Amino acid sequence: MLNKFKRNIISSKSNIIFLSITSFLFLFLFGLFFRLSFSSIVAASIFFLLFNLILLYLVGGQRNKELDSIKDVISRIRTHSVNFDNEISLGSELEELEIEIKAMFLRSQNDIQNLKKLEQIRTEFLGNVSHELRTPIFAIQGYIETLLDGALDDRLVNRTFLQKANQHTINLNNLLNDLIDISMIESGEMKMSFRYFNVSEFFDSVLNEFKPQAVKKNIELQLLPFNHSLQLFGDKQRLKQAISNLLMNALKYTESGSIKIGVYEEENGAVIFVMDSGIGISKNDLERIFERFYRVDKERSRDLGGTGLGLAIVKHIVEAHGSIIEVKSEIGKGSKFSFRLKK
């Protein structure tokens, strides 16, 4: 009991000076007005002293009660004993503080969830990188060992094995380049050079690179009519990389028909699109195609030299331009990828 009394008094010490001065002035004026004797003033002083002690005890008790409830809430949050913000309650007297603590709790919960998600992504990323690197390295190693064991002198297989090993080194180089690109984009180290560029010249440079591949697969690569004087704002080289990745994907998954590329103007910008008549993408896959290393057709992508990072790079480049990559697709009918740029 004595410890509780001392604790309450100590907790209300900030009010002692105020109460002392107030009591002294009241006694002085009261004694002066009623012309009290010295003994009466002493008695009144003792009364006010006891009254002040009781008042300080009650004020300190209320203060300690509030502090204890705050400590209890903070302790439960620190030990992860609180699961929802409605479990935090400090009473009507501390309503504003309760709101702030709830907001802090929700922010910390979001931070924890984001950290867990990032750790999961990091783990999956490292696992995927290890797997993607191991596949071409083991294949190259296998071909070289076979050649060293005697196949090098067999003219029927030596050239074939060397060509396959060379293709795997190309795939490995593409993977490393994509890893470097996506790492630089996500870390902010890749500098973007934004300026106006002519869309007609941009499309010509892209299509000239892919026409031979389209002809080889007997697929029509078509540039739809547009305003050839159109100028758009962006990083021309990075946008070329994005469009090239989209065209590469379209060529991989289109066996017949056509691939169309074009642009149509809007009031403050324009929409660039790549549309194919390929195999299409299912609704379940649509939600994940922009994830790193996610493949709709894993075996086919590897056979064609896919790294699984192309669409992830496209997404980052487009978002760096303040835009969003959109995709519409239907199984057996093809896909359309599009994004907006300012003009």
Side-chain angles (χ1 to χ4, degrees), residues 14 99 104 146 174 196 211 233 235 244 259 311:
S14 58
I99 293 172
M104 179 191 71
T146 304
N174 291 337
Y196 284 97
K211 277 182 180 177
F233 187 73
D235 186 319
S244 296
I259 297 174
L311 289 180

Side-chain angles (χ1 to χ4, degrees), residues 32 36 41 49 142 250:
L32 189 65
L36 297 177
I41 293 175
L49 176 61

Side-chain angles (χ1 to χ4, degrees), residues 13-41:
K13 61 183 179 181
S14 58
N15 299 305
I16 292 176
I17 296 176
F18 172 76
L19 285 174
S20 298
I21 294 174
T22 303
S23 299
F24 175 78
L25 289 175
F26 180 81
L27 282 172
F28 176 77
L29 294 173
F30 187 80
L32 189 65
F33 183 78
F34 288 101
R35 297 185 180 185
L36 297 177
S37 63
F38 177 75
S39 58
S40 298
I41 293 175

Side-chain angles (χ1 to χ4, degrees), residues 169-226:
T169 62
I170 293 172
N171 294 346
L172 186 59
N173 185 59
N174 291 337
L175 173 60
L176 292 174
N177 286 335
D178 282 352
L179 283 171
I180 292 170
D181 283 346
I182 202 166
S183 176
M184 291 181 68
I185 292 171
E186 290 183 344
S187 64
E189 294 180 12
M190 181 175 285
K191 303 300 180 183
M192 308 290 283
S193 177
F194 295 97
R195 61 189 66 186
Y196 284 97
F197 62 92
N198 182 269
V199 177
S200 180
E201 296 175 359
F202 172 77
F203 280 153
D204 286 342
S205 65
V206 174
L207 292 177
N208 286 336
E209 292 183 15
F210 286 90
K211 277 182 180 177
Q213 299 177 45
V215 171
K216 188 176 180 180
K217 289 193 69 173
N218 197 27
I219 294 173
E220 181 185 7
L221 187 55
Q222 184 180 1
L223 177 60
L224 300 181
F226 67 99

Side-chain angles (χ1 to χ4, degrees), residues 51-117:
F51 176 78
N52 286 340
L53 285 174
I54 294 171
L55 189 60
L56 288 171
Y57 174 81
L58 294 175
V59 170
Q62 180 61 30
R63 182 183 179 86
N64 285 330
K65 181 180 177 182
E66 293 171 351
L67 288 173
D68 289 340
S69 64
I70 294 171
K71 289 178 182 178
D72 177 65
V73 166
I74 292 175
S75 176
R76 287 193 293 122
I77 292 174
R78 181 172 53 82
T79 55
H80 307 291
S81 301
V82 178
N83 297 315
F84 303 99
D85 63 318
N86 57 12
E87 297 177 26
I88 299 172
S89 178
L90 296 177
S92 57
E93 299 86 358
L94 300 172
E95 184 177 356
E96 292 185 5
L97 181 60
E98 180 182 313
I99 293 172
E100 291 298 321
I101 291 178
K102 284 182 176 180
M104 179 191 71
F105 170 75
L106 291 174
R107 283 195 297 270
S108 65
Q109 289 294 97
N110 289 333
D111 290 342
I112 291 170
Q113 291 298 322
N114 289 334
L115 287 172
K116 288 181 179 178
K117 186 177 180 180

Side-chain angles (χ1 to χ4, degrees), residues 123-272:
T123 302
E124 290 177 357
F125 179 69
L126 291 174
N128 285 326
V129 169
S130 299
H131 178 73
E132 296 296 333
L133 289 173
R134 191 182 298 116
T135 301
I137 289 173
F138 281 180
I140 294 168
Q141 184 181 7
Y143 289 127
I144 292 175
E145 287 177 352
T146 304
L147 289 168
L148 291 174
D149 287 341
L152 186 62
D153 299 321
D154 187 344
R155 293 183 178 181
L156 296 177
V157 297
N158 56 9
R159 189 173 184 83
T160 301
F161 278 18
L162 287 172
Q163 287 174 340
K164 288 183 177 180
N166 182 60
Q167 183 58 52
H168 279 291
T169 62
I170 293 172
N171 294 346
L172 186 59
N173 185 59
N174 291 337
L175 173 60
L176 292 174
N177 286 335
D178 282 352
L179 283 171
I180 292 170
D181 283 346
I182 202 166
S183 176
M184 291 181 68
I185 292 171
E186 290 183 344
S187 64
E189 294 180 12
M190 181 175 285
K191 303 300 180 183
M192 308 290 283
S193 177
F194 295 97
R195 61 189 66 186
Y196 284 97
F197 62 92
N198 182 269
V199 177
S200 180
E201 296 175 359
F202 172 77
F203 280 153
D204 286 342
S205 65
V206 174
L207 292 177
N208 286 336
E209 292 183 15
F210 286 90
K211 277 182 180 177
Q213 299 177 45
V215 171
K216 188 176 180 180
K217 289 193 69 173
N218 197 27
I219 294 173
E220 181 185 7
L221 187 55
Q222 184 180 1
L223 177 60
L224 300 181
F226 67 99
N227 176 12
H228 285 261
S229 63
L230 177 63
Q231 299 262 338
L232 293 178
F233 187 73
D235 186 319
K236 185 178 178 180
Q237 293 304 315
R238 292 303 165 193
L239 289 170
K240 182 179 179 180
Q241 183 181 5
I243 292 294
S244 296
N245 284 347
L246 291 176
L247 284 172
M248 199 178 301
N249 264 20
L251 283 166
K252 284 179 188 175
Y253 299 107
T254 303
E255 294 299 333
S256 62
S258 65
I259 297 174
K260 298 176 182 179
I261 182 172
V263 59
Y264 57 87
E265 294 186 64
E266 296 180 331
E267 184 177 354
N268 298 317
V271 176
I272 293 178

